[in-house]
Amino acid sequence: MKPLTSAIKLSYLKTFLIFMAFMLIFHTGNAQSFQFSGTRQKDVVNFTLIKNLIIIPVYINEKGPFNFILDTGVGPMIISDPSLADSLKIKDLRTIKIAGLGKGNEIEAFVSRSISATVGKSFIDQIPTAILKEDLFRLSSYVGMPIHGLLGYHFFKSFIVEIKYSSKRMIFFVPELNRKIKGERVPLEMINDKPYALINIESSELGKLPLKVLIDNGASHAVSLEILNEKPFPVPGASIPANLGMGLGGPISGNIGRIPSLKIGTFELKKVLTSFPKYDEVAGKILLKDRNGNLGADILSRFDIVFDYADNSMYLRRNSNFKRPFEHDMAGMEVYADGPNIDHYFISRIEPGSPAEISGLEPEDEIAYLNFVPVTTYTLTEINRILRAGDGKSVIITILRKGQLHIKLLKLKQRI
């Protein structure tokens, strides 16, 4: 059992798909689409929502279901669990090398066009697919349940897709159904099979700024700002150093701060948590330079959204989560799930000077009890909620270290 060396943020794990090499391999724009059989025009699928990420059941080559993250930020389908390639006996695999993000080198993946996928009553044959040779994403550990991959562009381009975060339901239908779409229309620009939109931010250092961002509901954070006028995006003075995630090539560092105001369409959000990754670890490695960053699921989940790729648009309606405050980890540590049933919880990283370090917690500690309640009664989402319970609140953590139990008092602190 090897603990994660850093937090996993899906935005950075996926960014390699922006590279033109993948687009040249797959030619995704000319690929087949999902379709219904017979006269069916519409379907509904319930989804699981963890860390603002949408998890849906997908059948691969008529086997499954497998848990996939539905993700506007990916083009080809990604199978992140390499054991699937063996169990499904996938043929016609080709090996490619991909430049990673972070401080490491390139990694290898298989590519295939001999895979079929089924979502609800819809199906697609020969969907372009990337299969990682190693489970670099560690998605199962990140969300606390088995995750096998990510599905994006080919599903969204096939239907008009309505995501109801408020009820955890996805409705998708063919454009010919001519169903009236509710909500405020936000124009999209499709670049390499991914949707981009304009937002506006306002800060004391920069004033008002229009920005172009990737609409990335497969990134659990609120917003990440990487580049401005072909230079690193200015980091606000009121920010803290942070390890922002793992890229395919290693850890990504940077800062976390707050934007006083962010507007998308006519909707305005206040005090938005914002990531500022180091330029040379993210933006400096991306061939596409005409974006400022990406807008993630901590913002998108505050709306019920309709994606209409054929019309280059999405429609937003605020839901009951709209006024939810943006909260950062108040413990200064990251927790991941592991073990045969993904039901053991470990500390992977502790930030210097944080409440976790002050309390005497260490990386690789296994959490046994929270407030004297067995940790096995909690989900990973519930554990993270406890660690964001509020400034000044105390959490009693019992950890297992080298075979011995230790009780630690953790006093939470709002650090940004």
Side-chain angles (χ1 to χ4, degrees):
M1 178 173 56
K2 184 179 180 181
L4 298 175
T5 58
S6 179
I8 296 181
K9 297 285 175 69
L10 293 179
S11 168
Y12 307 126
L13 289 169
K14 302 173 309 180
T15 308
F16 75 91
L17 290 175
I18 295 173
F19 295 157
M20 295 302 295
F22 244 1
M23 309 314 300
L24 293 173
I25 290 168
F26 285 128
H27 301 293
T28 55
N30 298 321
Q32 269 185 275
S33 300
F34 278 85
Q35 56 187 303
F36 294 119
S37 58
T39 59
R40 176 179 287 274
Q41 294 183 298
K42 171 187 169 184
D43 199 9
V44 179
V45 169
N46 295 325
F47 60 80
T48 301
L49 190 67
I50 300 179
K51 294 188 176 181
N52 300 318
L53 303 177
I54 297 168
I55 301 165
I56 61 171
V58 177
Y59 287 82
I60 304 295
N61 289 354
E62 300 182 349
K63 294 183 179 179
F66 303 105
N67 297 323
F68 273 65
I69 293 173
L70 187 68
D71 188 346
T72 56
V74 298
M77 185 171 72
I78 304 174
I79 293 178
S80 57
D81 181 354
S83 66
L84 238 59
D86 295 329
S87 63
L88 297 175
K89 298 180 180 179
I90 298 173
K91 299 178 180 179
D92 304 323
L93 295 176
R94 244 187 335 140
T95 299
I96 62 168
K97 293 184 178 181
I98 307 164
L101 292 178
K103 299 175 181 177
N105 298 316
E106 63 188 10
I107 57 97
E108 290 187 341
F110 295 116
V111 294
S112 174
R113 275 185 171 275
S114 62
I115 294 174
S116 65
T118 301
V119 177
K121 297 292 193 301
S122 69
F123 65 93
I124 184 174
D125 292 323
Q126 298 181 337
I127 181 171
T129 304
I131 306 165
L132 298 183
K133 286 189 175 183
E134 298 178 50
D135 187 11
L136 299 171
F137 283 16
R138 299 292 302 276
L139 296 174
S140 301
S141 295
Y142 179 63
V143 302
M145 67 178 286
I147 299 293
H148 304 94
L150 304 99
L151 176 68
Y153 171 74
H154 290 87
F155 185 78
F156 283 101
K157 79 152 185 159
S158 303
F159 304 111
I160 295 175
V161 181
E162 182 176 3
I163 296 173
K164 293 191 171 185
Y165 282 99
S166 52
S167 59
K168 300 177 185 176
R169 297 172 76 233
M170 178 178 69
I171 303 168
F172 52 103
F173 52 93
V174 297
E176 294 77 17
L177 193 58
N178 290 323
R179 178 174 172 173
K180 184 178 179 180
I181 300 176
K182 298 179 181 180
E184 179 180 326
R185 183 179 184 272
V186 176
L188 297 178
E189 180 183 1
M190 300 302 298
I191 302 176
N192 291 329
D193 301 341
K194 299 175 184 65
Y196 290 76
L198 294 178
I199 63 171
N200 290 276
I201 69 166
E202 184 173 355
S203 72
S204 56
E205 294 98 339
L206 301 173
K208 295 182 179 180
L209 276 180
L211 301 176
K212 184 176 182 179
V213 293
L214 172 68
I215 301 299
D216 191 355
N217 75 335
S220 58
H221 60 235
V223 63
S224 170
L225 298 180
E226 302 150 3
I227 186 170
L228 181 65
N229 299 325
E230 300 186 0
K231 295 180 181 179
F233 204 99
V235 178
S239 64
I240 58 173
N243 194 322
L244 300 179
M246 284 293 289
L248 287 171
I252 294 170
S253 53
N255 290 71
I256 290 179
R258 288 187 185 270
I259 293 175
S261 171
L262 183 151
K263 290 184 71 175
I264 179 166
T266 61
F267 298 102
E268 184 173 13
L269 297 152
K270 300 286 191 179
K271 298 181 180 179
V272 179
L273 275 176
T274 306
S275 301
F276 299 88
K278 283 191 175 179
Y279 178 85
D280 58 352
E281 294 178 18
V282 178
K285 291 188 175 183
I286 300 173
L287 293 181
L288 286 172
K289 298 295 185 181
D290 57 350
R291 83 176 204 187
N292 301 107
N294 68 56
L295 191 77
D298 196 16
I299 286 178
L300 297 173
S301 62
R302 296 160 194 268
F303 300 90
D304 288 345
I305 306 177
V306 178
F307 288 98
D308 185 353
Y309 277 19
D311 187 45
N312 293 318
S313 58
M314 67 177 177
Y315 296 81
L316 303 179
R317 284 180 295 150
R318 68 173 70 193
N319 61 31
S320 57
N321 294 318
F322 186 79
K323 294 184 178 180
R324 180 183 69 210
F326 292 92
E327 294 292 1
H328 183 49
D329 160 43
M330 296 183 185
M333 69 181 188
E334 298 208 33
V335 178
Y336 72 99
D338 213 329
N341 299 313
I342 320 178
D343 57 357
H344 289 247
Y345 301 102
F346 299 84
I347 297 171
S348 65
R349 177 187 59 83
I350 292 179
E351 295 179 357
S354 67
E357 184 183 64
I358 293 169
S359 71
L361 294 168
E362 297 178 1
E364 302 186 39
D365 285 345
E366 180 177 355
I367 300 174
Y369 298 88
L370 282 175
N371 295 326
F372 301 112
V373 177
V375 74
T376 51
T377 65
Y378 295 109
T379 65
L380 188 55
T381 297
E382 291 168 337
I383 292 172
N384 286 320
R385 189 177 297 129
I386 291 171
L387 298 178
R388 300 182 182 194
D391 187 46
K393 291 196 174 182
S394 295
V395 180
I396 300 172
I397 299 184
T398 305
I399 54 97
L400 183 64
R401 182 187 299 165
K402 296 180 179 179
Q404 294 187 333
L405 291 174
H406 302 266
I407 297 177
K408 305 291 183 180
L409 178 62
L410 177 67
K411 190 167 185 180
L412 302 180
K413 181 179 180 181
Q414 189 175 53
R415 295 172 295 142
I416 186 65

